[in-house]
Amino acid sequence: MSDHEAPPCCALSTVVSPVDLKITVRKDPTRPYVGLENILSRGTHLVGWSLASSSISTNSVFEAGDVLFGKLRPNLRKCVIAPFDGYCSTDILVLRPNIDIDPSFAGKVLRTERVGAAAEMTAVGTKMPRTSWKHLSELKVFCPVRPEQSKIAHVLDTLDTVIHETEAIIAKLKAVKQGLLHDLLTRGIDANGELRPPQAEVPRLYKESPLGWIPKEWAYKTFGALCESSAFGPRFPSDAYDERGPIAALRTTDMDGEGNISLATMPRAAISPAVLADHLLRAGDIVISRSGTCGVTGVFAWHDIPVVPGAFLIRFRMHDVHFSRFYRRYFNSVKGRPYLERLAVGGVQKNIKGSDVLSLLVPTPSTAEAVAIAERIEAIEAHTEANQQLLNKLELQKAGLMDDLLTGRVRVTPLLESA
């Protein structure tokens, strides 16, 4: 193809044909049934299925290699290649690749932005919008010869495999973290840097406390005994916010469920830092959400301008800042969060009192052990974050490749010729 020659295009009906076979009775109850809930938005694989016996309504019939395209709420972009024969919801279009069409290529064409946008534009209905094959069949799509289709599919499938492997690593790391977090917060780390054996195996290493069994070396104290001071965040008038202001406000919405703080989303205010000097956050300060989603705990590290906590946060400053990282993990865990959540009082909008948090009993390891526990957790979080960044990079790369290869903007013909 010359530089100015248009890439080969055809109607979508040349790539796939609809399969209209339906079944209501005499289903094979052992065959898989796929509903829209089994297809992730913009996903590439099924995330599960049920037995056909679970569906009493009319179903569409599909075969392995067919493309399952969600026609209900097409903005969700649900489209996968069927890995087996089975039945599916009638809100799913069953599209079979035509002769001389690579099934994997067909699935990728139907996951392109061009097809997805067309499905959205042609959807009919307000609450339950649906597209139809009639409205999609004549849409023009890139369709090269079979060898080039297969090469495109192979390139994208290879990238998909790496993406799925990275997703699996992230899921495994998150599961490992939860198990490790429980062990570290109940058993701690001994003088040799190892997890202590469980209490059931070596009871002499533990003692009873109001918090349950804790390592003998640990104490239990009120959280207030470990804090130098605490304070609610100030309230800003609505006209105080200014994107060029000299001070930033940390809000509950600037923290995720694990207390990770986003500096980029914090609004700024046109208030002098000197006026709010008593409220300014220092590195190592703990902030706990007191309203809405109560009990989310973060640790402030730094920012290039002064920061104050918002009105729905309580700031706690510890005598020994090394404990901050430990108690962030403790209060965000299934071990510690319930204690904070039980403090929340009120009707629709529950609130936590700072004085009640200060009165909470908490497990207290030595400073060295608290730091070691936090470092173990942070190491696995750093590993997870590195893989998440890799996943983000791969997904961007995939989006770019799909846009290039499935529109014909970039051709794989030179690869075929060299092969």
Side-chain angles (χ1 to χ4, degrees):
M1 186 181 79
S2 69
D3 292 341
H4 302 290
E5 185 181 343
C9 292
C10 65
L12 190 58
S13 59
T14 305
V15 179
V16 291
S17 297
V19 177
D20 294 323
L21 181 59
K22 302 288 191 294
I23 188 168
T24 303
V25 296
R26 296 181 181 176
K27 298 178 194 174
D28 180 347
T30 64
R31 292 184 76 176
Y33 166 78
V34 174
L36 279 172
E37 67 277 9
N38 301 127
I39 307 175
L40 283 179
S41 177
R42 300 181 185 274
T44 57
H45 291 73
L46 291 176
V47 292
W49 56 86
S50 307
L51 290 178
S53 56
S54 66
S55 175
I56 59 173
S57 58
T58 298
N59 295 156
S60 296
V61 182
F62 65 83
E63 296 178 1
D66 288 346
V67 181
L68 306 182
F69 185 92
K71 65 179 181 179
L72 174 66
R73 295 195 182 98
N75 61 300
L76 297 178
R77 308 290 169 81
K78 296 193 171 190
C79 177
V80 297
I81 297 176
F84 44 64
D85 298 350
Y87 309 124
C88 67
S89 164
T90 52
D91 281 322
I92 296 173
L93 288 173
V94 178
L95 304 172
R96 186 161 295 162
N98 292 326
I99 296 173
D100 290 332
I101 298 295
D102 184 297
S104 182
F105 175 80
K108 288 165 177 56
V109 168
L110 284 154
R111 280 199 293 270
T112 59
E113 181 60 28
R114 179 175 179 79
V115 174
E120 282 189 67
M121 290 180 62
T122 58
V124 177
T126 305
K127 292 184 178 180
M128 305 286 277
R130 288 177 173 83
T131 189
S132 67
W133 175 245
K134 175 184 176 182
H135 290 114
L136 297 176
S137 61
E138 296 307 310
L139 180 69
K140 297 298 182 183
V141 294
F142 173 60
C143 186
V145 294
R146 177 72 179 246
E148 188 172 351
Q149 294 174 24
S150 299
K151 178 60 72 174
I152 291 171
H154 175 71
V155 169
L156 295 174
D157 283 338
T158 301
L159 190 53
D160 270 337
T161 298
V162 180
I163 288 173
H164 295 320
E165 289 172 349
T166 307
E167 287 173 335
I169 289 171
I170 292 171
K172 184 175 181 180
L173 286 170
K174 287 180 177 180
V176 168
K177 177 190 168 183
Q178 290 306 311
L180 180 62
L181 190 60
H182 177 270
D183 290 342
L184 289 170
L185 294 175
T186 55
R187 293 157 53 187
I189 298 173
D190 64 21
N192 298 318
E194 302 292 335
L195 272 171
R196 292 182 182 86
Q199 186 272 336
E201 293 180 12
V202 190
R204 61 183 173 78
L205 298 179
Y206 296 82
K207 64 184 179 184
E208 287 191 271
S209 78
L211 299 167
W213 291 100
I214 61 175
K216 274 191 175 180
E217 292 86 350
W218 291 18
Y220 54 90
K221 301 178 181 180
T222 63
F223 188 59
L226 301 167
C227 292
E228 173 187 315
S229 64
S230 66
F232 290 134
R235 289 186 179 274
F236 286 176
S238 58
D239 59 358
Y241 291 101
D242 184 335
E243 63 182 18
R244 294 169 295 180
I247 197 168
L250 173 62
R251 307 160 300 175
T252 55
T253 52
D254 300 315
M255 294 196 301
D256 65 17
E258 294 189 346
N260 295 300
I261 292 173
S262 170
L263 300 176
T265 59
M266 290 191 298
R268 295 171 69 159
I271 299 175
S272 169
V275 175
L276 298 172
D278 293 338
H279 293 279
L280 295 181
L281 289 171
R282 298 180 192 170
D285 281 353
I286 289 177
V287 286
I288 298 179
S289 60
R290 69 179 182 90
S291 185
T293 306
C294 298
V296 178
T297 303
V299 175
F300 179 74
W302 67 275
H303 195 28
D304 54 5
I305 63 171
V307 178
V308 295
F312 295 121
L313 291 170
I314 316 172
R315 185 267 298 160
F316 298 91
R317 184 163 295 152
M318 311 207 74
H319 290 296
D320 186 343
V321 73
H322 293 98
F323 277 104
S324 297
R325 291 148 64 200
F326 172 83
Y327 285 111
R328 173 196 160 187
R329 268 60 188 203
Y330 174 74
F331 282 134
N332 285 328
S333 72
V334 295
K335 186 74 175 174
R337 177 69 70 83
Y339 289 112
L340 288 175
E341 291 175 341
R342 284 198 286 269
L343 299 178
V345 294
V348 176
Q349 187 80 346
K350 294 185 179 296
N351 285 274
I352 292 177
K353 296 178 181 178
S355 57
D356 288 341
V357 179
L358 294 171
S359 299
L360 273 181
L361 283 178
V362 292
T364 312
S366 68
T367 301
E369 190 173 349
V371 170
I373 288 170
E375 287 178 344
R376 290 283 180 92
I377 299 167
E378 288 164 1
I380 198 167
E381 287 175 341
H383 194 186
T384 305
E385 178 59 25
N387 278 279
Q388 184 61 56
Q389 290 180 8
L390 173 60
L391 178 62
N392 295 342
K393 181 179 178 180
L394 290 169
E395 288 177 336
L396 283 173
Q397 184 180 2
K398 176 186 172 183
L401 276 174
M402 286 188 68
D403 189 49
D404 286 341
L405 298 180
L406 294 173
T407 60
R409 185 179 298 114
V410 174
R411 301 295 294 274
V412 296
T413 311
L415 296 176
L416 291 171
E417 292 172 350
S418 65

